[in-house]
Amino acid sequence: MSVKEIFETMSYGPAPEQAGDALAWIVDRGARFGHFIDGAFTEPGEGFESRNPATGEVLATLTQATSSDVAAAVDAARLAQPEWEALGGKGRARYLYALARLLQKHARLFAVLETLDNGKPIREARDIDVPLAQRHFYYHAGLAQLMEQELPGRAALGVCGQVIPWNFPLLMLAWKVAPALAMGNTVVLKPAEWTSLTALCFADICQQAGLPKGVVNIVTGDGAVGEMVVNAEVDKVAFTGSTEVGRKIREASAGRGIALSLELGGKSPFIVFEDADIDSAIEGVVDAIWFNGGQVCCAGSRLLVQEGIAEDFHTRLKARMATLRVGDPLDKCIDVGAIVDPAQKARIAALVDASGGEVFRAGDAPAGCFYPPTLISGLSPADPLMQEEVFGPVLVSTTFRTPAEAVQLANNTRYGLAASVWSENINTALDVAPKLVSGIVWVNGSNMMDAAAGFGGVRESGWGREGGWEGARSYTRVVDDMPALTTVEGFAGEKVEPVAVDRTAKMYIGGKQARPDGGYAKAVYGADGSLIGQAPIANRKDIRNAVEAARGAAGWAGATAHNRAQVLYYLGENLSARADEFAVLIDRMTGGTGGRAEVEAAVDRLFTYAAWCDKFEGAVKPVPGRVVAMALNEPCGVIGALCPDEAPLLGLVSVMAPIIAMGNRAVLVASEPFPMAALEFIQVLETSDVPGGVVNILTGSHAELAKPLATHMDLDCVWSFSSTDLAAEIERGAAGVLKRTWVDGLARDWLTTQGEGRVFLDAATEVKTVWVPYGA
């Protein structure tokens, strides 16, 4: 027999990892665990069993947290937070470095414990999960060291409630705990019910590192405990898990004035073009969907193959699937381990059995909580398995003909977490990547992640980023003592004086002046009781029309930053030419004397955002390996906004300008008590080369228009600077499709830097990370 024949026919023998040390760690603690609160473990209480999914063996008994446990954890975190923040970034960095080193020293213990508890192959826990967790603590120790220098004027949020899933228990802990601690927050963490052991082991090393009491608190239990954490008196909720639960968290947090980040589900496309390296792409598929048994939110679970190579690709893929080894996760020769729990296995099987497609399984899985790698073809794009997250080792496949069709199929989902593009033509890859509605795009690769590069999605995959400066900033707030808004009321009048020329003010939709759908208008009076004019009253159909017009102006996102800047400069020039007229109108409406200053500030703001158009830059992230990770700032899409009441012109301009500067389209509801300045501004828009539909202006009741804005499925974001308290309604309404919201609730001084800057630009953009490996 030749060497080639021996190599091709030889089989792998077992290479078991010894679990003795990990089991001893559990036994040494009595195999019963309480919570970790205020720097110490509580006495174990009534609870539930943690099992090894590969064998069904009971590993330990964990304690089900009560409301008093959660309250005690939050109280401990609240008490510890001021002193923890007062250490300064450099002081906190020392503790984060210590935690990173301890994760390294106990790397094998964490890896084996993770595999025992979760069922993932030991190779993945050892070579991916644990090293990445270490990397996050090292990286964020560096961010803490640099915080005062690089994030001036920002401070910690306070106490963060964090709820993590079962698929990457230790890594998800690191993603959330490390940035929170680095920025000066304290945390109350709820690990997944099925996989809490590595979180409790992390609590152990928190004690070894001498972490101050109360900085990290861990409570265990089922989803009810997660709900308690979300509803507790915390300053931020950070959640990774299913879209359904994320929607409930958005509803539960509505109107509370707390920060929220959600990293949710996905149905990521894996796009293979005809010029791809087929063998490399097949290995990419293996990594994309069968890594961690497909129990990955960014798994490449939708395979899209160009028709010319589809038959060959699927033949080779099936052959490769036949070589995948499913079995004991502690065997270092195993490719696919156990499903985390019998309930999850049953869910996967039920979805596959109901699919109706052509099912190919790579052999039989061992008895127990295992499921074989599965390929399903012959489904339509609307089939449930093409749309819904399976969260298991199941790949669905279809074909496409052209790049445009590939993009259309890829974006035909309610999710937007990750995507993978395979082509040896860099022009094709970099042409398609920006067109994909996704927070992460991998070119000729998959599952590339690093602490320096932001991770997160769009649409119903959630919002916010984890990793990088963008992830760290989400655990901070701007230090500015802005008071809460108070309601601004307009003036009343008793008589209507005749005017020489009756000019009917209209709204602005799709580049044209438009009458309100309802046919109603309201009288707007000056401070002296005299009639200034009649303002249209918009309704939900006017919002529908405005959003439709904004969607039709999608070409604005493709305009160059230079061109957008020219339009904003032109707007500023044309507004300046009418400064006297606007100043008089503002003073007459508001009864003040600051009209001139407001107009000048509005002109300056237009020039400021014109300057920002081509200067709000992305970044190339310093990630390990031969790969370029580009963080690109992209427009969110269509943003609806309730403009400030107190600054009728400047407020509208301050909201509109960053939105359109970044390539978005705007649906603006003008100041409710003082709408006439916005209606006059329409004439400036009409003479300033603003494409129709890019800016749409409505007038009417903020309270009545808030819900239609929040619930409109074609709006990507909703902002509110209204003096009417609409936070709860907007945030609850936005939960339906999980759109981003920014409800300010603060009395900004719009004449100062409180009314402009990076906070507005950040809110008007999404960060897309594009990973491009290189090398001959």
Side-chain angles (χ1 to χ4, degrees), residues 2 8 15 63 100 114 242 326 329 350 372-373 387 400 470 496 517 547 555 603 706:
S2 67
E8 289 179 346
T63 301
E114 194 84 315
S242 72
V326 183
Q387 294 292 328
F400 66 90
E470 56 267 41
V496 177
D517 173 80
V547 173
V603 172

Side-chain angles (χ1 to χ4, degrees), residues 251-526:
E251 292 173 349
S253 62
R256 290 169 52 193
I258 64 173
L260 178 64
S261 59
L262 299 172
E263 196 268 284
L264 306 176
K267 194 69 178 176
S268 302
F270 189 102
I271 307 168
V272 184
F273 286 95
E274 289 177 337
D275 59 3
D277 179 333
I278 293 180
D279 289 330
S280 294
I282 286 172
E283 291 306 310
V285 171
V286 171
D287 180 50
I289 184 59
W290 293 303
F291 169 62
N292 199 26
Q295 300 166 113
V296 183
C297 53
C298 58
S301 55
R302 283 188 300 145
L303 175 62
L304 313 178
V305 186
Q306 201 158 13
E307 280 189 0
I309 60 168
E311 184 176 354
D312 182 32
F313 190 92
H314 285 94
T315 298
R316 295 199 216 181
L317 177 60
K318 290 175 181 178
R320 179 66 178 92
M321 289 172 65
T323 68
L324 293 173
R325 300 175 295 277
V326 183
D328 180 7
L330 283 173
D331 187 343
K332 291 185 281 290
C333 290
I334 288 302
D335 298 307
V336 182
I339 301 302
V340 70
D341 189 86
Q344 179 64 12
K345 178 189 173 183
R347 178 183 179 276
I348 295 167
L351 286 169
V352 172
D353 292 344
S355 70
E358 180 184 335
V359 178
F360 174 81
R361 292 186 176 89
D364 296 324
C369 201
F370 296 89
Y371 198 88
T374 301
L375 170 67
I376 303 177
S377 54
L379 301 176
S380 72
D383 190 279
L385 274 194
M386 292 291 286
Q387 294 292 328
E388 298 302 321
E389 189 176 34
V390 177
F391 226 66
V394 178
L395 177 68
V396 294
S397 179
T398 190
T399 62
F400 66 90
R401 295 181 179 179
T402 66
E405 186 183 4
V407 170
Q408 184 181 39
L409 286 169
N411 291 340
N412 181 26
T413 173
R414 61 193 175 103
Y415 298 109
L417 186 53
S420 187
V421 179
W422 290 76
S423 172
E424 289 299 288
N425 186 332
I426 194 66
N427 293 319
T428 298
L430 294 184
D431 177 58
V432 168
K435 298 174 182 176
L436 299 175
V437 182
S438 175
I440 306 110
V441 178
W442 296 300
V443 173
N444 293 334
S446 60
N447 287 332
M448 289 180 277
M449 302 172 195
D450 185 68
F455 182 96
V458 295
R459 290 180 172 173
E460 294 194 28
S461 290
W463 66 79
R465 294 293 179 265
E466 298 189 271
W469 281 107
E470 56 267 41
R473 279 197 301 271
S474 72
Y475 281 93
T476 66
R477 60 180 176 83
V478 175
V479 180
D480 208 328
D481 295 326
M482 290 182 281
L485 274 169
T486 55
T487 304
V488 178
E489 302 285 355
F491 297 103
E494 296 182 357
K495 58 181 179 178
V496 177
E497 299 176 357
V499 293
V501 177
D502 183 13
R503 195 184 69 187
T504 303
K506 300 184 181 72
M507 301 182 299
Y508 190 59
I509 298 176
K512 300 176 181 178
Q513 294 193 39
R515 296 182 184 275
D517 173 80
Y520 289 97
K522 76 167 186 175
V524 179
Y525 296 94

Side-chain angles (χ1 to χ4, degrees), residues 230-231 242-254 735 738:
V230 168
N231 290 322
S242 72
T243 295
E244 290 72 24
V245 175
R247 186 174 289 111
K248 292 178 182 177
I249 290 174
R250 168 73 284 182
E251 292 173 349
S253 62
L738 287 167

